[in-house]
Amino acid sequence: MSSDFTYSIKTVRFDEHYSPADETRLTTNFANLARGEARQENLRKAINMINNNFNSLAHWDNPKKDRYSVELDIVHVDVDVEGNGETFPTIEVLKTSVVDHYTNKRIEGIVGNNFSSYVRDYDFSVVLRKHNEGKDHFSVPDNYGELHGKMFQDFISSGAYKENFSKPPVICLSVSDNKTYHRTSNQHPVLGTEYKPDETSLTEQYFRTMGMKVRYFMPVNSSAPYAFFFFGDLLNDYSLLELISTLSTMETFQKIYRPEIYNTNSVAGEVYKPSLRNHDYSVTQVVYDKEERARLAIEQGKWCEENFIQKHQNTLQQWASGVTASAF
């Protein structure tokens, strides 16, 4: 994929001292935790959960479950679409690194994990809402998500990405609460049991425009499967410690954000239908503002429409019509 767009990357450490930048999309998981009076306690507890999860999964040669800790960097990506130095915040993802305290080595993890995008907010909270307003049956407009998908693949193929990261991203999300998942006989030593959905979801379709495939796995001691979006070969392109870094991070966020699915008192069976109406779950001690998240998603989508989509409409349309999506 060839592009005139210019991408710039900066990173911010996610630790107990983290404070969201002005351009950060505030509905993203890590930003939501870092706000309010309990922000530092929230962050400290979340990071502790991630480290405990990691050591439970990486249990070999780790008798005290204290061998590893996970370092997280927020990767913030800006794009200049006009070539005039004016940038717009496109996406934020997380980059994991693993510290082995037995060998004093730092091991590269996976980039991706969480996924934050203003253009995605625009697609879901503006485009999709307008398209279905006043209609009896839900539908998706033609070419839905195409611009976002091409921009994401363009970034992954860019020199900026390849200079900073050695492998393609892996993004880990919750399962869809309106689909049914069936357990298979396939087992992975870290990711656990593979599940397959009975039909595709809108999220799957959206990530397909980004060039990503999806597989669903439920790790040991988890209560539900996770959706892993990836390029290439998920099970063979990454080491066990790399996969554990993603799983331990995103399992923590999902237990905090969606305890109805991921912190329940029962586990998924052979046939699994997630439900956000489930009341049989435990809450974590980390404060998460779901109401603010829902409200801000719409505000962020409208902000993206005004400050990016409409402002650069001609450039974006011409660019999207002239490129063929192809990443790794």
Side-chain angles (χ1 to χ4, degrees):
M1 177 179 283
S2 167
S3 169
D4 295 325
F5 292 176
T6 302
Y7 299 94
S8 55
I9 296 174
K10 59 183 176 183
T11 60
V12 177
R13 179 57 52 89
F14 178 76
D15 57 20
E16 64 183 73
H17 305 294
Y18 165 68
S19 181
D22 291 340
E23 64 269 25
T24 291
R25 177 176 167 268
L26 293 178
T27 53
T28 198
N29 288 320
F30 46 79
N32 191 297
L33 299 183
R35 306 175 72 201
E37 295 181 1
R39 57 175 303 278
Q40 193 167 45
E41 184 178 2
N42 266 353
L43 294 170
R44 191 179 298 118
K45 287 178 178 178
I47 292 167
N48 189 51
M49 287 174 65
I50 291 170
N51 290 331
N52 287 339
N53 285 345
F54 190 101
N55 282 291
S56 292
L57 290 165
H59 52 78
W60 59 92
D61 291 336
N62 189 7
K64 295 182 180 179
K65 293 187 177 180
D66 62 354
R67 177 168 182 169
Y68 303 101
S69 60
V70 180
E71 292 182 352
L72 297 172
D73 288 302
I74 299 165
V75 178
H76 178 86
V77 183
D78 289 326
V79 63
D80 177 357
V81 301
E82 303 285 359
N84 59 8
E86 181 181 344
T87 62
F88 182 83
T90 52
I91 65 171
E92 281 184 323
V93 292
L94 285 174
K95 172 70 169 62
T96 62
S97 298
V98 180
V99 179
D100 185 339
H101 298 287
Y102 287 14
T103 64
N104 293 320
K105 290 183 178 179
R106 193 169 183 272
I107 304 163
E108 186 175 3
I110 287 179
V111 65
N113 304 289
N114 194 86
F115 182 71
S116 175
S117 167
Y118 279 112
V119 179
R120 185 175 67 169
D121 281 337
Y122 164 72
D123 282 335
F124 277 87
S125 299
V126 177
V127 175
L128 205 57
R129 288 167 66 92
K130 286 183 178 178
H131 178 76
N132 286 283
E133 192 172 6
K135 293 184 179 179
D136 294 330
H137 301 286
F138 178 85
S139 65
V140 177
D142 294 338
N143 303 319
Y144 179 68
E146 181 180 293
L147 172 64
H148 179 270
K150 288 184 175 181
M151 288 188 65
F152 179 77
Q153 293 189 59
D154 188 57
F155 167 63
I156 300 302
S157 300
S158 70
Y161 184 91
K162 294 176 180 178
E163 288 169 7
N164 285 273
F165 311 111
S166 60
K167 292 185 179 182
V170 175
I171 295 168
C172 180
L173 302 180
S174 169
V175 287
S176 172
D177 63 329
N178 59 3
K179 305 299 177 190
T180 301
Y181 299 84
H182 301 265
R183 189 165 64 198
T184 73
S185 60
N186 192 35
Q187 298 278 336
H188 184 268
V190 165
L191 300 185
T193 304
E194 184 165 20
Y195 277 72
K196 292 190 176 180
D198 57 352
E199 58 182 324
T200 187
S201 67
L202 180 58
T203 298
E204 281 186 25
Q205 296 170 30
Y206 196 77
F207 273 83
R208 195 175 299 134
T209 68
M210 297 161 59
M212 305 188 85
K213 298 175 284 187
V214 64
R215 294 178 74 171
Y216 298 87
F217 287 91
M218 186 173 79
V220 176
N221 298 326
S222 291
S223 57
Y226 295 85
F228 294 87
F229 294 89
F230 59 95
F231 298 100
D233 186 341
L234 175 67
L235 303 188
N236 292 299
D237 290 347
Y238 305 90
S239 71
L240 295 184
L241 291 183
E242 286 176 325
L243 293 173
I244 292 173
S245 71
T246 284
L247 182 56
S248 60
T249 298
M250 297 314 299
E251 183 174 35
T252 295
F253 283 137
Q254 293 297 353
K255 281 184 176 180
I256 294 168
Y257 171 50
R258 285 198 163 168
E260 304 91 342
I261 295 176
Y262 290 105
N263 211 30
T264 62
N265 297 316
S266 60
V267 301
E270 290 188 16
V271 179
Y272 176 61
K273 177 74 168 63
S275 174
L276 292 174
R277 296 187 178 91
N278 178 26
H279 298 293
D280 185 23
Y281 64 88
S282 301
V283 295
T284 66
Q285 297 180 8
V286 180
V287 179
Y288 196 103
D289 193 334
K290 290 187 178 182
E291 292 184 4
E292 182 185 55
R293 177 187 173 108
R295 174 179 57 80
L296 284 175
I298 298 173
E299 294 178 8
Q300 290 168 170
K302 292 179 178 178
W303 181 81
C304 177
E305 180 181 33
E306 295 171 2
N307 293 277
F308 186 65
I309 302 297
Q310 293 178 346
K311 186 174 183 178
H312 304 289
Q313 187 170 17
N314 292 335
T315 300
L316 294 172
Q317 287 178 346
Q318 291 174 8
W319 176 84
S321 65
V323 297
T324 303
S326 60
F328 284 83

